[in-house]
Amino acid sequence: MTDERSFVAHLRRRATSVVVASSGGMPEVLWWGHDLGDGEIDLAQFERPVPGGGLDHDPPFAIVAEAARGWAGRPGLEGSRPDGSAGQPVFGLTNCEVGEHHVDAALVDLHAALELTLGIALDEHGVLRVDVSVSNTGDSDYRLDALRVGIPVGDHAAEVLTFGGRHNNEFGIHRSSWGRQTVTVENRRGRPAHERAPSMIVGSPGFGEEQGDVWAVHLAWSGDVDIAADGVTDGRRVVQVGELLRSGELTLGPRECFEGPTVLAAFSSFGLSGISDAFHGHIRARKAHPKFPRPVHLNTWEAVYFDHDVDRLRALADRAAEVGVERFVLDDGWFGSRRDDTSGLGDWVVSSDVWPDGLDPIVDHVRSLGMGFGLWFEPEMVNLDSDLYRQHPDWVLGDARYEQPLGRHQLVLDLGRSDVRDHLFEQIDALLTRYDIGYVKWDHNRDLVQAASGGGSGVHLQTLGVYELIDRIRAAHPDVEIETCASGGGRADLGILARTDRVWTSDTMDAIDRIAIQRGFSVLFPPELMGSHIGAPIAHTTLRRHRHGFRAAAAMFGSFGIEWDLLRLDDDGLSTVARLVDLHKRNRELLHTGRTRRIDHPDPSLVAQGVISVDRCKALFAVFAIASSHSHHRGALRLPGLDPGQRYRVRLVGDIDEPLGWARWQPSWVADGVEATGRQLERAGLRLPVLHPESALLIEVVTVP
Ligand code: GLA
C-alpha cells in the first residue's frame, strides 16, 4: 500500500465503469454503471447541490456510510463500547493502493479506536467484489451490530426484483416498483432461507431479460442477511448489503477483527441476461468450480424414502446403470436408528439393523457397475432420540434455560464449538475413509432458533463453524464433491458454494414448479450447479402428472439426475429414460459451459430459454407451455444470442417425444427444420406450432457449414 491520503480510481471492465474516490475519508462510489470510456474523471461532474433545509454540505454516501458525516439512512457501521462511545465513527484514510482494476484502502478512527480495511475489485466478467473488515484497536470490548457495504445505483432504477418462495417453491422472481421507499431482503432464519434468497436486483422501468439497465447484488454468506434498496434518504438511490447480526451476537475484544462476507455486484445495460453473463462467468472462473462433465445422478430419496433394503437398492442400482446413470446417491436412512425422521440424526454410524454388513454391499455393487457412490448427511443437526443427544445434550445450539422449538423433530448442534466440529469431522472422515465415497449430499433441514442467546454461538459463529468443518473435510478428501441442500434450495449462496459443488435446488420434482424455480436460480447461478432431477410421473409434492418427455425437458438444463423408483418401469419406460439420459449427456457440455438466455415471451402461458455455446456455433432452446393459452397462436419465439451474420439450421429435438397440439397444419419447420441467420432468428424468430398445455419443445440450433 502507498501512503496516499486521497484518490480517484476509475475501474473499467466488460462495459462497466466504477468510479471510487476519497478526499481523505471513507471512499465513496460515485459511479457504478455504463462504461464512461477513456478520459480523466473530473469530480465536479458528480457534485450535487446543497439545498436549504438540511446540512450545509452534501453528506457523502460512503462505501461504509457514516452517520457522523450526515448520512441519515442506515449507517454502514453500527456498534458501541460498554460506555456508549464509538457509536458514530468517522474514518480517515491512512493508506491506499489503486490499481487498474482494484482499490485497497486502510482507514482509522483514533477516537473510536477502530480500524477498517476495504478491498474493491472489478473482475474480468464485470463483477464487482467488495470486502470490508473492522478491527478493535481499543482496550475495551466493541459490540458490533452491523457492517454494511453501500453502493449507489442509477437514478432511473425504478423497479426491484427479489428471489424467494417457500419449501418446494424456491427462487421465485418477485418484482415491484421501487419508488420513494426502502425495500429489504432481511433474513433471520440462520440460513439463506427459502423465502428470501440473499440477492437483490434493481433496474430501469420495465427492465427485462434483454433490455434495461440493471444492477444486481449478492451476499456470499450462508447465515442471516440484510439487503436494502433505499430510495428515500436523500435523492440518491442506493443499495446496502451486509450480514445481519442479531442483538448482542458479536463482540470484538481488544485487537479482534471482523471480516464481513464478500459482497458481489454486477451491472448490465442489456437486462438480466447481462447479469447472468457476469455472474456465471465469475462463478465459472473460480478455481474450485466443479469439474466437467457433471455426472448423471440417481438419488434414492423419492424411490425408497426411509425404507432401506439392500436387495432392492442393489436392484435399483442395476436399473440406474442400465439407463446410463453415473452416480448413485444413497439418501437419508442409512445410519443409527434413523428409520424415520424422528430418530437417529447425529449418529453417523452405519445402521446394523438395515445394513448388517455395513455399506459394502451397496458401495461395491455400485462401483462394480461403473457408477460413483454418494451418501447423505445432515451434520449440523441432531434428533432428541439419538445417542449423540443422550451423550451430549449440552452440544445443542440455543439457550438451555428455555424450551427450544423443534423443526422436523430435530435440534441444531452448536458448530461454533470446536469439540462439536471435531466429533463430526471424525465420524464423517471415518466413513469417507472406509468407503469409496465420491459425493456427499450435505443437508440442513431446520431454522436456527435461539442462536446467540444464553452464551451459545450466534448465527455468525455457527456459519463460520460450518464453513470450517466443510473445509476440513474437503482438505482431507479433496476428490469428494459436496452438494448443498437445505430442505431443497434453502442454502444457495456463494459462501456455501465456495466449498460445495452443486445445489439441491428444490425438493419438488413437479416440472411446472421446477421450470419457475430453475429460471429464478439461473439468473445468478450457472446450470451446472443446479441439481435438477426427473421424478416420478405423478409428482410426490403436488400430485400433478406429467409425461416423461416434459419432465425430462424441464430437468435437462441443469446437473441432471433421476429421483424415481426405476424398478416400477417396464422395458419401454426404461428405454425412454435411457434415451433421455443420453440426450442430456450429448448436450451437457454445451449446457454447462454456454451462455444462458432466458427469453421474454409475450404469452404468459409460455416459458422459453436457451443455452448458446461460447463460440455461438450451436445452441439448445426449450419452450414450455405451462398452461393453456387464450390463443392457439402464442406469438413468435425469438431465439436471441446467436451470431447475427451466421446461418443456422434449426430443428426440433425428437428424443423427448412430446406430442404437439391438434392442428390442421403445423409450420413445416416442425417436421423439416428451417435455415435462418442469427439475426433473423433473433428478430423474427419462429412461429410456434399449436401446443398442448404442459408440454415442451426442445430446439437444436447448429451453424450451417
Ligand atoms: C431433505 C432434503 C431431501 C431429502 C430429505 C431426507 O428434505 O431436501 O432431498 O434428502 O431431507 O430426509
Side-chain angles (χ1 to χ4, degrees):
M1 291 231 202
T2 48
D3 185 12
E4 297 281 349
R5 297 294 153 90
S6 68
F7 67 84
V8 179
H10 182 189
L11 319 180
R12 292 175 61 203
R13 262 176 157 176
R14 274 279 177 142
T16 296
S17 274
V18 181
V19 176
V20 192
S22 163
S23 52
M26 178 69 70
E28 202 180 343
V29 172
L30 296 172
W31 175 259
W32 171 38
H34 287 269
D35 181 16
L36 300 179
D38 294 328
E40 204 178 320
I41 299 290
D42 182 344
L43 292 186
Q45 196 185 351
F46 299 101
E47 269 174 31
R48 306 195 315 158
V50 179
L55 298 172
D56 291 341
H57 74 290
D58 187 30
F61 176 64
I63 293 179
V64 178
E66 291 169 319
R69 292 175 74 199
W71 173 252
R74 294 170 178 225
L77 179 63
E78 291 186 83
S80 59
R81 297 193 182 275
D83 64 0
S85 66
Q88 299 197 15
V90 177
F91 285 91
L93 191 67
T94 52
N95 279 302
C96 72
E97 182 187 294
V98 177
E100 194 183 348
H101 303 299
H102 77 276
V103 175
D104 289 328
L107 299 113
V108 67
D109 177 338
L110 293 172
H111 307 297
L114 294 171
E115 283 179 6
L116 203 134
T117 67
L118 197 57
I120 305 164
L122 186 62
D123 81 2
E124 58 190 318
H125 306 282
V127 170
L128 181 67
R129 177 190 167 121
V130 185
D131 291 288
V132 186
S133 75
V134 61
S135 303
N136 177 12
T137 55
D139 298 327
S140 61
D141 285 349
Y142 174 73
R143 177 181 139 156
L144 179 66
D145 294 326
L147 180 59
R148 308 183 177 97
V149 167
I151 326 176
V153 297
D155 298 335
H156 57 305
E159 287 184 22
V160 59
L161 182 161
T162 57
F163 302 94
R166 59 165 165 85
H167 178 223
N168 289 333
N169 213 347
E170 299 87 336
F171 306 109
I173 292 180
H174 303 278
R175 293 181 66 148
S176 57
S177 64
W178 177 34
R180 204 179 166 282
Q181 83 264 40
T182 301
V183 182
T184 59
V185 170
E186 200 179 286
N187 167 38
R188 296 172 183 274
R189 290 188 186 274
R191 58 179 179 178
H194 296 84
E195 77 274 27
R196 294 188 185 96
S199 311
M200 186 185 271
I201 294 180
V202 299
S204 53
F207 72 85
E209 288 297 341
E210 289 155 77
Q211 83 284 334
D213 289 347
V214 183
W215 295 260
V217 292
H218 171 80
L219 190 69
W221 181 244
S222 316
D224 289 340
V225 168
D226 170 17
I227 304 179
D230 176 357
V232 186
T233 298
D234 78 341
R236 274 171 282 221
R237 304 187 72 67
V238 306
V239 288
Q240 288 176 289
V241 189
E243 178 178 348
L244 187 147
L245 295 170
R246 303 195 192 186
S247 197
E249 178 174 351
L250 213 81
T251 297
L252 299 181
R255 281 163 299 286
E256 282 185 350
C257 171
F258 170 84
E259 287 178 22
T262 298
V263 176
L264 295 160
F267 165 75
S268 156
S269 59
F270 56 103
L272 295 171
S273 297
I275 297 295
S276 297
D277 283 349
F279 266 85
H280 294 191
H282 169 85
I283 291 169
R284 285 173 168 164
R286 301 168 311 153
K287 268 203 212 93
H289 197 63
K291 293 180 203 64
F292 299 103
R294 306 309 304 142
V296 173
H297 283 199
L298 181 130
N299 180 294
T300 61
W301 181 239
E302 289 206 354
V304 301
Y305 290 103
F306 288 107
D307 189 8
H308 283 206
D309 172 87
V310 185
D311 292 336
R312 186 159 165 224
L313 284 162
R314 284 161 60 105
L316 185 61
D318 290 337
R319 286 283 168 97
E322 235 174 88
V323 299
V325 165
E326 295 157 314
R327 185 184 271 154
F328 184 92
V329 182
L330 185 65
D331 211 281
D332 198 355
W334 56 267
F335 52 91
S337 58
R338 185 78 167 173
R339 301 295 79 78
D340 58 34
D341 65 8
T342 62
S343 157
L345 203 57
D347 300 335
W348 303 110
V349 175
V350 179
S351 161
S352 51
D353 294 339
V354 277
W355 296 97
D357 302 317
L359 292 178
D360 290 319
I362 187 72
V363 178
D364 293 349
H365 188 64
V366 164
R367 298 294 289 131
S368 74
L369 291 166
M371 297 184 289
F373 184 81
L375 196 59
W376 183 93
F377 289 87
E378 193 179 357
E380 295 147 77
M381 303 288 163
V382 64
N383 280 131
L384 290 177
D385 181 6
S386 65
D387 292 342
L388 184 70
Y389 185 75
R390 280 182 283 275
Q391 282 157 20
H392 299 286
D394 56 316
W395 280 9
V396 163
L397 182 70
D399 186 335
R401 296 166 303 170
Y402 297 111
E403 194 180 323
Q404 166 78 246
L406 292 172
R408 208 189 183 199
H409 314 284
Q410 65 199 51
L411 295 166
V412 185
L413 292 169
D414 187 346
L415 264 76
R417 290 176 59 147
S418 60
D419 52 351
V420 177
R421 292 196 303 271
D422 288 347
H423 168 82
L424 290 169
F425 175 80
E426 276 157 30
Q427 285 204 322
I428 298 169
D429 174 63
L431 286 154
L432 298 184
T433 306
R434 164 74 180 75
Y435 296 107
D436 187 0
I437 296 171
Y439 194 76
V440 165
K441 178 173 172 185
W442 187 297
D443 214 335
H444 180 289
N445 285 316
R446 65 155 277 181
D447 293 345
L448 273 52
V449 182
Q450 295 180 21
S453 59
S457 303
V459 172
H460 177 78
L461 290 180
Q462 176 78 6
T463 308
L464 291 183
V466 176
Y467 286 173
E468 197 206 76
L469 178 61
I470 300 179
D471 291 347
R472 199 168 154 196
I473 290 167
R474 287 203 81 124
H477 303 276
D479 295 330
V480 175
E481 290 197 347
I482 301 180
E483 170 169 46
T484 172
C485 173
S487 306
R491 183 156 68 182
D493 64 86
L494 289 171
I496 200 79
L497 274 166
R499 41 198 47 90
T500 53
D501 304 278
R502 186 189 201 251
V503 176
W504 181 230
T505 329
S506 179
D507 277 351
T508 188
M509 246 76 60
D510 176 296
I512 298 277
D513 288 343
R514 270 282 178 161
I515 289 162
I517 291 166
Q518 296 176 177
R519 193 170 177 90
F521 182 90
S522 76
V523 175
L524 296 187
F525 305 110
E528 62 272 21
L529 296 180
M530 178 174 82
S532 58
H533 293 178
I534 167 169
I538 298 182
H540 293 194
T541 46
T542 60
L543 302 186
R544 261 198 295 226
R545 176 191 285 277
H546 293 121
R547 288 176 303 280
H548 298 340
F550 185 62
R551 294 180 348 267
M556 191 61 57
F557 283 68
S559 177
F560 188 81
I562 297 171
E563 191 144 341
W564 171 18
D565 185 359
L566 296 180
L567 295 171
R568 290 171 189 265
L569 286 182
D570 59 16
D571 287 351
D572 263 9
L574 281 178
S575 66
T576 302
V577 175
R579 194 179 67 233
L580 296 167
V581 169
D582 185 58
L583 177 65
H584 174 76
K585 287 183 180 171
R586 279 188 275 126
N587 283 285
R588 67 182 155 187
E589 193 191 333
L590 161 68
L591 295 171
H592 295 167
T593 58
R595 294 172 74 185
T596 294
R597 282 288 172 272
R598 292 163 306 274
I599 302 169
D600 285 324
H601 193 278
D603 186 332
S605 73
L606 277 194
V607 177
Q609 66 195 45
V611 173
I612 299 134
S613 65
V614 176
D615 62 7
R616 294 192 289 182
C617 284
K618 57 181 178 182
L620 188 69
F621 290 90
V623 182
F624 302 100
I626 54 168
S628 293
S629 173
H630 57 276
S631 168
H632 290 306
H633 302 281
R634 299 193 200 224
L637 172 72
R638 298 181 318 98
L639 303 180
L642 298 161
D643 180 348
Q646 176 66 49
R647 198 156 180 81
Y648 292 95
R649 173 117 202 111
V650 182
R651 68 163 195 105
L652 270 195
V653 178
D655 309 62
I656 59 167
D657 200 21
E658 279 282 83
L660 294 176
W662 186 86
R664 288 185 206 290
W665 173 255
Q666 297 280 29
S668 65
W669 71 266
V670 168
D672 306 333
V674 59
E675 282 189 11
T677 65
R679 182 174 289 107
Q680 291 160 347
L681 290 168
E682 169 144 18
R683 295 189 176 166
L686 299 170
R687 300 298 179 266
L688 286 167
V690 175
L691 293 170
H692 282 303
E694 311 202 347
S695 69
L697 300 179
L698 283 186
I699 300 167
E700 184 190 86
V701 180
V702 288
T703 46
V704 176

